[in-house]
Amino acid sequence: MMLVNVPARDPGRWPMSPEAYRDLVLDRLASRGHDLSGRLRFVDLFTPADLRDRYGAWGGSIYGGAYSGRLAPFRRPGNRGPRHGLYLVGGSAHPGGGLPLVAMGARIVASLVREDFPGAPSGAGGSRSRTAGTTR
């Protein structure tokens, strides 16, 4: 699998078609010694417009709104949403995009849920810890 990041905008506004951009990327790889031309079994072009249309991603952006500059990480919304019981996790929420950071965000949200709902069952992990050391 190859993922090539592009700006979140409609491909109709790109300087070239998605197919031409795919060919450009493959040509650049080949010119650097990584010729994939005879090795590709299929190619699926998935543009920001596809992401927007299929999944409702804002503007086709995989990570939500774009923030730039040194303060960008501090501009992301926190993990508590605007309503009680609504939590935000993912590339556009704190701490940010990429699998490790999204996993950290999930851990943060799990602790917020425990904090906000102290009497609620704690899930599979909690079930195991409650039964640890017991016999059946």
Side-chain angles (χ1 to χ4, degrees):
M1 181 187 144
M2 179 180 1
L3 171 68
V4 179
N5 287 321
V6 296
R9 71 171 71 126
D10 194 300
R13 295 180 50 214
W14 290 3
M16 63 182 69
S17 71
E19 294 78 13
Y21 189 64
R22 173 204 58 213
D23 295 342
L24 175 68
V25 169
L26 292 173
D27 289 345
R28 290 249 173 104
L29 285 169
S31 73
R32 291 179 170 104
H34 304 286
D35 188 1
L36 303 177
S37 60
R39 301 174 67 190
L40 296 176
R41 294 187 183 194
F42 67 91
V43 174
D44 184 18
L45 288 175
F46 191 82
T47 69
D50 296 320
L51 189 64
R52 179 197 63 219
D53 296 345
R54 288 187 202 175
Y55 303 109
W58 181 84
S61 174
I62 197 166
Y63 297 123
Y67 301 108
S68 60
R70 292 186 319 175
L71 297 177
F74 304 106
R75 293 186 179 136
R76 289 187 185 98
N79 300 104
R80 274 197 179 95
R83 296 177 187 243
H84 181 70
L86 176 64
Y87 302 91
L88 307 174
V89 66
S92 59
H94 175 76
L99 289 176
L101 293 177
V102 170
M104 287 173 60
R107 180 173 273 178
I108 291 168
V109 165
S111 65
L112 291 174
V113 170
R114 282 192 299 272
E115 191 178 297
D116 293 349
F117 299 96
S122 58
S127 302
R128 277 185 256 126
S129 64
R130 281 195 302 263
T131 59
T134 62
T135 57
R136 294 184 179 210

